[in-house]
Amino acid sequence: HDAGAPAEAGLLPEDMDSVEVSIKYDGFIKRARHQMERLNKSLGMRLPPDLDYSAIHTVSYIAREKLEQVRPDTLGQASRIPGVTNADVTALRLYIELGKRKQQAKKQAKEAATDQVGV
């Protein structure tokens, strides 16, 4: 017999299966956990009260209609609206984050231009 054989290591066949699944899917499980942690952190994100949901074409048509009707205050509230999928919530989060980045870039460009004028 092979000294490293699982049967001699005291593992039952169902234990071997569990270990095999853990090894095979470890990367996938870690990635999924990381995505869930990011989603949970972002659920408290406030949605602008004047947000034009019809302009967000990466969100499904049905979700845009529902969001426009309900006008949720946070991403978490949006995620609980029937007809709004996880993909819609992710697209909405990305849209808002991109908008914030664009605003910051405009502000920085304006400040840099103001600094140049003062030199």
Side-chain angles (χ1 to χ4, degrees):
H1 274 308
D2 184 9
E8 292 181 19
L11 291 177
L12 299 172
E14 54 270 12
D15 292 336
M16 289 178 9
D17 290 342
S18 178
V19 168
E20 184 179 346
V21 167
S22 294
I23 291 169
K24 279 184 181 178
Y25 297 104
D26 185 55
F28 173 78
I29 292 167
K30 285 179 182 175
R31 212 169 23 259
R33 280 191 187 129
H34 179 70
Q35 288 174 336
M36 287 300 298
E37 287 169 6
R38 268 184 73 187
L39 178 62
N40 287 336
K41 286 179 185 176
S42 68
L43 290 178
M45 178 187 286
R46 303 220 43 95
L47 301 176
D50 59 344
L51 186 58
D52 180 10
Y53 293 102
S54 65
I56 311 172
H57 299 289
T58 52
V59 172
S60 72
Y61 179 78
I62 292 172
R64 283 182 278 164
E65 283 187 332
K66 301 277 186 165
L67 291 164
E68 197 64 52
Q69 290 171 355
V70 176
R71 309 277 326 156
D73 292 326
T74 65
L75 208 54
Q77 288 175 352
S79 72
R80 292 186 290 276
I81 297 171
V84 177
T85 66
N86 287 340
D88 293 322
V89 172
T90 299
L92 183 56
R93 178 181 56 82
L94 293 173
Y95 180 86
I96 292 167
E97 286 176 354
L98 183 61
K100 286 180 181 178
R101 287 186 197 141
K102 285 181 180 179
Q103 283 180 338
Q104 287 175 343
K106 281 183 184 179
K107 183 179 176 184
Q108 288 173 349
K110 188 176 181 179
E111 289 172 357
T114 303
D115 290 344
Q116 291 292 328
V117 171
V119 173

